Amino acid sequence: MKTDTILITGALGQIGSELAEKLKTIYGKNNVIISDIRDPKDVNYDGIYEVIDVLDVERIKEVIHKHNVKTVYHLAALLSGTAEKNPMFGWKLNMDTLLTFLELAKDKIIDKIFWPSSIGVFGPDTPKDNTPQNPIQTPSTVYGISKLSGEYWCKWYQQNHNVDVRSVRFPGLISWKTPAGGGTTDYAVDIYYKAIENKKYTCFLEENTYLPMLYMDDAIDAILKLMATDNNELNEFKSYNLGGLSFSPKELSIEIKKHIPEFEISYETDFRQAIADSWPSSIDDTEAKTDWGFEPKNSIEKMTEIMLTNLKIKLNK
Ligand code: VAH
């Protein structure tokens, strides 16, 4: 009898690279299959790696069958900045691939799905401060449109086919193990790299642009808690708000200067300012805390200390 296994798509990305390590410690190295689009010869990973282009449905089915996959963490997606530059590909990658896994769950080929949504589902008409779970949602980005549509598809499959799919609306995620990606919030990752490498950083957002953020350890903890919760305890058919921190580039630079006094920040805004301006400044995550015990632990002070300490080692500085 084959053991049920876990598949992570987009596993070489910011969330996947940390989630894989955590899931391996819990379920064992041979029960976690990681996948991404990169050639195996370019991948340095201690475990089972399968090349998957998530647009290739037959390849997905082949890997699921080969490894007896029953739970899928579907992380592969285009983030906000990249999707805004590639709208049709962004929609296809973010939407078609979610529907693939929802169909596989409907057909009982897999049992359970985790899929990350984002505070990008909120738009310029959404209350900005302490944004509630179900306000008016008028996303004005390709990324936000795809994530809000995905949430409603998740709800439809749950209500019409009893699919077990769980989701959270991630704020900007901060981590040191992977470099900054194509996200609007990724200034808050790149700034740490540049602070160590160059002692200066040119930010593509204005100094007082407040955005909701979360340190990666708290994000991974949230995924594990949500997936471990009995489905009957979950009241949110779409996706749970996650908050954590809220800060501006100016506040983050002040925190970094406490460790690197000579650090200097300058500002040259680009198209991502309009994306950031359409998003909330802070998030009300009461439902996540009530339903399944979401409990972020890392402050901006603690996060900055962890980021700089680990990046100094990673960058040999
Ligand atoms: C992005 N990091 O900036 C992602 C995130 C809330 C934003 O979903 O696109």
Side-chain angles (χ1 to χ4, degrees):
M1 175 70 177
K2 271 187 174 180
T3 312
D4 294 355
T5 67
I6 290 166
L7 171 66
I8 306 174
T9 71
L12 299 179
Q14 184 189 29
I15 301 172
S17 55
E18 307 222 21
L19 180 63
E21 293 309 316
K22 196 72 177 174
L23 290 176
K24 280 196 299 185
T25 61
I26 297 169
Y27 297 100
K29 183 166 80 169
N30 294 326
N31 297 319
V32 178
I33 318 307
I34 76 160
S35 73
D36 212 301
I37 201 162
R38 214 180 295 171
D39 188 305
K41 70 177 181 344
D42 301 328
V43 176
N44 175 21
Y45 172 72
D46 177 20
I48 304 172
Y49 175 78
E50 295 275 10
V51 182
I52 294 182
D53 174 344
V54 285
L55 291 168
D56 182 346
V57 179
E58 291 316 307
R59 174 63 180 153
I60 288 171
K61 289 178 178 176
E62 180 188 339
V63 171
I64 285 173
H65 178 70
K66 174 181 174 184
H67 295 285
N68 195 44
V69 171
K70 291 299 175 191
T71 301
V72 175
Y73 293 76
H74 178 41
L75 308 180
L78 281 196
L79 294 179
S80 57
T82 312
E84 212 57 28
K85 288 182 172 177
N86 307 274
M88 289 305 102
F89 181 59
W91 171 259
K92 186 172 183 61
L93 183 69
N94 292 2
M95 204 72 272
D96 290 5
T97 63
L98 171 61
L99 290 170
T100 296
F101 289 107
L102 288 169
E103 279 290 298
L104 289 170
K106 172 177 75 75
D107 297 342
K108 306 289 182 230
I109 293 168
I110 59 176
D111 298 338
K112 198 172 177 183
I113 303 167
F114 172 78
W115 174 73
S117 184
S118 161
I119 58 103
V121 300
F122 301 123
D125 304 320
T126 306
K128 272 197 169 302
D129 295 322
N130 213 27
T131 302
Q133 181 66 39
N134 290 301
I136 183 171
Q137 291 159 317
T138 53
S140 53
T141 65
V142 172
Y143 179 71
I145 293 165
S146 73
K147 288 298 185 182
L148 185 58
S149 304
E151 288 189 13
Y152 279 98
W153 274 118
C154 290
K155 182 173 182 178
W156 188 87
Y157 275 87
Q158 288 168 30
Q159 292 184 325
N160 292 277
H161 298 288
N162 201 29
V163 164
D164 184 354
V165 51
R166 292 120 185 261
S167 178
V168 294
R169 291 172 182 150
F170 279 129
L173 298 182
I174 318 284
S175 62
W176 56 269
K177 290 178 184 162
T178 55
T184 299
T185 60
D186 285 327
Y187 87 86
V189 173
D190 202 27
I191 191 171
Y192 287 107
Y193 278 81
K194 296 297 189 298
I196 289 172
E197 289 169 333
N198 311 327
K199 306 270 190 290
K200 61 184 177 183
Y201 175 64
T202 301
C203 185
F204 55 75
L205 297 181
E206 289 166 355
E207 63 176 2
N208 293 319
T209 306
Y210 277 83
L211 288 170
M213 303 278 188
L214 189 64
Y215 184 61
M216 183 57 75
D217 287 359
D218 291 324
I220 300 298
D221 183 59
I223 295 172
L224 297 178
K225 277 183 177 157
L226 175 61
M227 291 296 273
T229 301
D230 186 311
N231 215 353
N232 300 322
E233 302 293 314
L234 302 180
N235 303 304
E236 188 46 56
F237 273 123
K238 296 203 303 313
S239 188
Y240 280 91
N241 276 5
L242 292 191
L245 308 169
S246 281
F247 54 77
S248 66
K250 183 175 182 179
E251 286 180 348
L252 188 54
S253 69
I254 290 167
E255 202 54 43
I256 291 171
K257 281 172 82 76
K258 290 178 186 173
H259 299 263
I260 307 175
E262 64 274 37
F263 173 70
E264 291 300 330
I265 187 168
S266 58
Y267 300 93
E268 283 177 26
T269 57
D270 67 16
F271 72 99
R272 288 167 287 190
Q273 185 64 48
I275 296 174
D277 289 344
S278 73
W279 288 350
S281 306
S282 60
I283 299 289
D284 175 356
D285 49 23
T286 303
E287 286 81 358
K289 287 172 177 161
T290 306
D291 289 2
W292 47 271
F294 174 53
E295 189 189 3
K297 298 184 177 64
N298 290 281
S299 62
I300 190 171
E301 294 82 6
K302 180 70 180 154
M303 177 180 76
T304 299
E305 187 186 327
I306 295 170
M307 289 292 287
L308 293 176
T309 302
N310 285 284
L311 283 173
K312 280 180 184 141
I313 297 165
K314 180 179 177 181
L315 302 172
N316 296 320
K317 295 286 182 181

